[in-house]
Amino acid sequence: MPVALAQTSIRSAVEQFGPGWEVVAFVVAIGVHAALVMALFGLAPFFFIWAERKVAGRIQDRLGPTRVGGAFGWLQSLADGVKLIQKEDLVPKDADATLYKMAPYLTCIASLGAFIVLPFHDGWAAVVADVGLFLLFAILSLEVLGIVLAGYSSGSKWSLFGGIREAAQMVSYEIPLAITGLIPVVAVGSLNLSEIGRVQSGGIQNWLMFNDPFTFTAFFVYFVVATAGCKRAPFDLAEAESELVGGFHTEYSGMRWSFFFLAEYASMFLVSMVAAILFLGGWHSGLPFVFENGLNEKVVGLFGNASVMGLAIGPYVGKLFGLKVLILKASALVFVQIWVRWTLPRLRIDQVMTTCLKYLIPISCFLFLGAVAWPLILFTATGGPDGGQTRWGRPIGEKIAPADADEPSKPAGGRTDDEVAALDEEAAP
Amino acid sequence: MTPAPITLYLLVGAVLFVCGIACMATKRNGIGVLMGVELVLNGANVNFVVFSRYTELGLDGQITSLFVIVLAAAEAAVALAIALNFYNNHLTIDVDRGDELQG
Amino acid sequence: MSMDQVAGFLVGLFAIASCLGAVMVVLTQNVVRMAFWLIVSLGSVSGLYFSLHADFVAASQLLIYVGGTVVVLIFGVMLTASGPYQQIRSSPGETVVAGGIAVLFLALLASTVLSVDWNGGEVPALAEGYNPPEQGNTLRPIGLALLGARPDKDLGAPAEESLSTGYLLPFEIVSVHLLVVLIGASYLARAKKRSEEDPDS
């Protein structure tokens, strides 16, 4: 079972109280992580629902919300939430009541669960998992189950249509989503999101988006597919109000209805965070004056090794800056999603499926093959190992290999790597 | 005496397996039968992964379970296509109705 | 209370949830509810895999089984339902007989499991890897094994032994198999003329 990471730092803080406190540290660490992830899961939709209304208003030459909470109406989401809580929680007569009540929670849990492997800075993740990106996509793919169940259990044909459309769309769009997500993974050589972020330190040219032409294109394909995967316009066929009343959430009211939107906005933020980590340098600002850990060192120089209860301050301030950079990048991508929603007309369902099956899947497969072949192309073009030592030709896997790579220790008399390689060559015909 | 954890896992595997068998035997809905098959495969998979952790089997157990997962997905796709075909021909998915070949 | 107990509590939770889900799949008559319980059961099994440090298998279980197969099953339910919340009940006699046999079979399996001395309950240490075991270190060895190399077995082995074989051939066979299945399934499920006695529903 992957253990919460903050446990180590929290343990070092509580260790001074004596033995037997490691369980306390464990529980506290779990609590802190859960609270942080929940806060982000709740606050991101809170902000983006307001942003959506504001942007929509501006695009349509209106003002959007202006009253609640001051000049910009920034508490509008809170007012919405209070209103929705007060509404009656209806269950239609024809509905399968248990599933109907369960479906919004399932959607929400899937969306929230995907946040646990998402790093907000190097090592700042609830769970640092070797299979990070894979696990994230896996948990995110469960979201469709809640929506399909909601559509089925509502006992309404509009809901059922919405549910079936959603199932068909999500199952199709998962394929290019996974393939385009794998392209930066191929370039880095790791599924661990923390490692993928670490590779992109330094200038903007180190961002994986600018690694090769294929990752550059893959970013845009990923963004389109991720937008469709969150069932955002122009791909929001599951809830097309001009055809299906409200789609899968036609029969829902009150808080259960808002849970779907909580999940939708959280997923938008999540896929944007993933896009920022995979393609846009993660928590690295890419600016020359805050290169690498320059800022971190400055902060450490400022505060020295000051610590509160055993927690060093310096690195945390630097990491908070990185966190802010990452959230800014993700928010910019979410803004683009909102912008697209209020600009483009909705596609028809057959157009949505055609876009995915006939265009996006072949494109992403081609990009994947290209990204795999790219190091080989460069190697051939630059003329072998000596000529291949340019920054572009260097296999990017070397970038993350630590200088003092700790080889797995081998017992004396055992076979070494070289011997295994030699045996491999012998075995080859 | 507390039982070793391996027993717990194996018992879970056994329960999944038996439930799957019961599901396959009693359900008349074709898709219900399919779900039984998935449960049986999962029961076997649990055993593979448990033995890969607790015995010398090592990673081989995990890799075998990966192949099982992949093949189960393929099986589900084909079985579902057959179920759709069955529905097209019989207008129901009750597997007891597929008895034309009975003498 | 110690860390092991916290982990043990989670394992127990997942074990109970997976068994409960499996039993409910058998007892429920509504197909979509069966699918819901199947999700509970398979998802909990994936939690058990995490507790066994098989993180790649666990993630595959979530992605392929819960996110893929079950969605396909629900899709199938929707395409084959001739009415809303349609149920096809099995006869009570069959259910009782099947339940009795199932309980007997479970008793047989359980007694077998309990009668074996599993190495005194001793747990072998986890292999050294690229990452600490808590972060999962099965991903790279599994990837290499699927490519035909087994460094987890060969490194450190006595030099006179021959190299272990990986899983390159099965991997290739499975990938071709998946392609065949893809084509075959779409061929089987292609739209055809309904039979003559098709009601207008």
Side-chain angles (χ1 to χ4, degrees):
Chain A
M1 184 81 51
V3 187
L5 244 215
Q7 190 204 350
T8 38
S9 52
I10 292 176
R11 184 196 277 170
S12 69
V14 295
E15 235 168 23
Q16 44 193 314
F17 297 118
W21 280 77
E22 64 266 21
V23 179
V24 179
F26 187 69
V27 173
V28 169
I30 290 176
V32 167
H33 279 112
L36 284 176
V37 170
M38 290 288 278
L40 200 87
F41 177 75
L43 282 180
F46 189 85
F47 173 71
F48 290 126
I49 288 175
W50 169 78
E52 172 111 52
R53 288 163 154 252
K54 206 71 187 165
V55 172
R58 290 295 177 181
I59 287 179
Q60 297 171 345
D61 208 9
R62 293 184 284 118
L63 285 177
T66 50
R67 286 165 191 259
V68 192
F72 300 109
W74 60 278
L75 274 180
Q76 184 65 42
S77 307
L78 186 67
D80 285 350
V82 171
K83 184 194 78 174
L84 285 167
I85 288 174
Q86 291 171 338
K87 288 216 170 180
E88 189 184 354
D89 188 21
L90 290 171
V91 179
K93 185 165 64 66
D94 285 343
D96 183 336
T98 321
L99 287 182
Y100 179 84
K101 288 179 180 164
M102 205 87 79
Y105 301 135
L106 202 61
T107 315
C108 244
I109 288 171
S111 188
L112 170 64
F115 273 92
I116 60 170
V117 285
L118 191 72
F120 300 108
H121 198 284
D122 191 2
W124 277 16
V127 173
V128 178
D130 201 11
V131 290
L133 185 68
F134 187 45
L135 187 56
L136 192 145
F137 282 151
I139 301 178
L140 199 61
S141 73
L142 306 187
E143 205 185 329
V144 60
L145 281 170
I147 292 180
V148 172
L149 285 181
Y152 180 81
S153 63
S154 291
S156 144
K157 60 178 174 182
W158 307 118
S159 303
L160 189 62
F161 277 138
I164 288 189
R165 280 184 176 187
E166 172 72 6
Q169 183 182 331
M170 291 285 283
V171 170
S172 317
Y173 274 88
E174 252 169 41
I175 301 164
L177 183 74
I179 295 176
T180 45
L182 273 181
I183 289 170
V185 169
V186 166
V188 176
S190 171
L191 278 170
N192 190 335
L193 286 164
S194 293
E195 265 173 38
I196 295 175
R198 214 175 297 152
V199 173
Q200 307 174 64
S201 65
I204 202 167
Q205 75 279 4
N206 279 358
W207 291 6
L208 281 173
M209 188 182 171
F210 304 114
N211 186 57
D212 57 60
F214 301 104
T215 48
F216 185 77
T217 325
F219 168 68
F220 298 99
V221 178
Y222 171 87
F223 192 68
V224 171
V225 173
T227 308
C230 304
K231 53 187 185 310
R232 290 286 297 179
F235 303 102
D236 58 344
L237 268 299
E239 45 191 291
E241 73 274 356
S242 52
E243 312 161 29
L244 294 184
V245 189
F248 65 90
H249 58 63
T250 305
E251 306 293 339
Y252 280 88
S253 65
M255 271 320 273
R256 288 185 206 284
W257 179 83
S258 62
F259 273 136
F260 284 119
F261 281 83
L262 200 64
E264 178 182 332
Y265 283 90
S267 305
M268 276 165 69
F269 185 57
L270 183 84
V271 293
S272 302
M273 290 278 269
V274 172
I277 293 173
L278 287 184
F279 295 99
L280 298 180
W283 44 86
H284 301 287
S285 63
L287 299 173
F289 47 91
V290 279
F291 259 175
E292 304 270 336
N293 294 321
L295 180 84
N296 228 344
E297 280 157 18
K298 268 179 212 156
V299 174
V300 172
L302 207 60
F303 288 93
N305 285 325
S307 63
V308 178
M309 290 180 63
L311 304 174
I313 297 175
Y316 277 74
V317 179
K319 284 196 170 187
L320 273 179
F321 178 76
L323 170 70
K324 210 186 287 175
V325 168
L326 179 61
I327 288 182
L328 267 180
K329 285 176 185 170
S331 304
L333 291 178
V334 174
F335 169 73
V336 175
Q337 285 182 326
I338 294 175
W339 179 16
V340 165
R341 170 171 176 182
W342 295 101
T343 310
L344 292 182
R346 182 181 294 129
L347 300 176
R348 283 200 319 267
I349 182 68
D350 60 317
Q351 291 170 330
V352 169
M353 301 307 286
T354 310
T355 313
C356 178
L357 296 175
K358 288 196 183 160
Y359 298 102
L360 290 173
I361 288 180
I363 289 174
S364 53
C365 286
F366 168 75
L367 290 176
F368 183 74
L369 283 178
V372 172
W374 181 253
L376 191 67
I377 297 170
L378 276 180
F379 187 80
T380 324
T382 50
D386 294 324
Q389 286 305 312
T390 59
R391 194 182 64 78
W392 293 105
R394 189 175 46 171
I396 200 164
E398 281 177 16
K399 288 186 191 170
I400 52 163
D404 50 345
D406 43 341
E407 292 289 319
S409 56
K410 290 178 280 288
R415 190 182 272 153
T416 61
D417 277 329
D418 292 341
E419 284 167 12
V420 172
L423 277 171
D424 261 335
E425 277 169 18
E426 279 172 28
Chain B
M1 185 191 92
T2 52
I6 184 169
T7 342
L8 176 72
Y9 290 111
L10 291 177
L11 285 178
V12 171
V15 170
L16 289 182
F17 189 84
V18 169
C19 285
I21 295 276
C23 204
M24 277 153 69
T26 58
K27 298 288 174 191
R28 284 171 57 208
N29 190 320
I31 302 209
V33 177
L34 261 183
M35 291 182 190
V37 177
E38 304 295 341
L39 277 179
V40 166
L41 291 172
N42 252 275
N45 253 354
V46 170
N47 280 19
F48 274 123
V49 178
V50 171
F51 286 127
S52 89
R53 171 76 183 92
Y54 285 94
T55 67
E56 300 304 312
L57 187 57
L59 276 183
D60 294 301
Q62 294 190 19
I63 293 168
T64 312
S65 66
L66 273 179
F67 281 122
V68 172
I69 290 177
V70 172
L71 291 180
E75 168 256 10
V78 171
L80 198 74
I82 293 174
L84 286 184
N85 240 338
F86 187 87
Y87 179 75
N88 273 340
N89 291 330
H90 296 84
L91 294 176
T92 176
I93 188 125
D94 186 347
V95 284
D96 285 359
R97 301 275 199 88
D99 54 0
E100 295 94 67
L101 288 182
Q102 208 170 34
Chain C
M1 192 162 124
S2 73
M3 301 269 292
D4 288 343
Q5 276 170 312
V6 177
F9 171 73
L10 284 175
V11 169
L13 209 64
F14 283 132
I16 290 170
S18 54
C19 292
L20 183 79
V23 172
M24 289 306 288
V25 169
V26 180
L27 297 183
T28 320
Q29 294 295 335
N30 182 325
V31 197
V32 177
R33 288 205 186 179
M34 278 168 65
F36 174 75
W37 287 114
L38 194 68
I39 296 166
V40 172
S41 183
L42 300 187
S44 311
V45 167
S46 141
L48 287 178
Y49 291 165
F50 273 115
S51 74
L52 289 165
H53 294 283
D55 47 342
F56 186 71
V57 181
S60 310
Q61 166 99 2
L62 274 183
L63 186 76
I64 301 177
Y65 254 125
V66 190
T69 308
V70 177
V71 173
V72 166
L73 284 180
I74 296 180
F75 211 45
V77 172
M78 289 180 175
L79 288 178
T80 56
S82 35
Y85 308 126
Q86 164 219 34
Q87 295 187 4
I88 304 176
R89 295 189 172 276
S90 22
S91 66
E94 281 175 359
T95 314
V96 169
V97 172
I101 294 175
V103 169
L104 285 178
F105 188 42
L106 180 62
L108 176 73
L109 285 180
S111 66
T112 316
V113 166
L114 293 174
S115 63
V116 176
D117 176 27
W118 297 106
N119 201 13
E122 201 175 305
V123 184
L126 282 162
E128 286 282 319
Y130 185 84
N131 283 330
E134 299 86 45
Q135 300 182 8
N137 55 17
T138 60
L139 182 60
R140 282 177 175 83
I142 284 180
L144 284 172
L146 290 181
L147 287 176
R150 292 300 301 271
D152 55 317
K153 283 198 166 172
D154 292 338
L155 287 178
E160 57 270 16
E161 278 184 20
S162 63
L163 283 175
S164 318
T165 51
Y167 287 85
L168 183 58
L169 185 62
F171 182 66
E172 291 298 328
I173 293 175
V174 159
S175 50
V176 173
H177 177 262
L178 278 182
L179 183 67
V180 171
V181 162
L182 191 72
I183 298 169
S186 52
Y187 172 75
L188 273 178
R190 77 195 188 284
K192 269 182 300 201
K193 196 163 61 72
R194 288 267 172 104
S195 51
E196 300 302 321
E197 65 274 57
D198 189 355
D200 50 5
S201 61

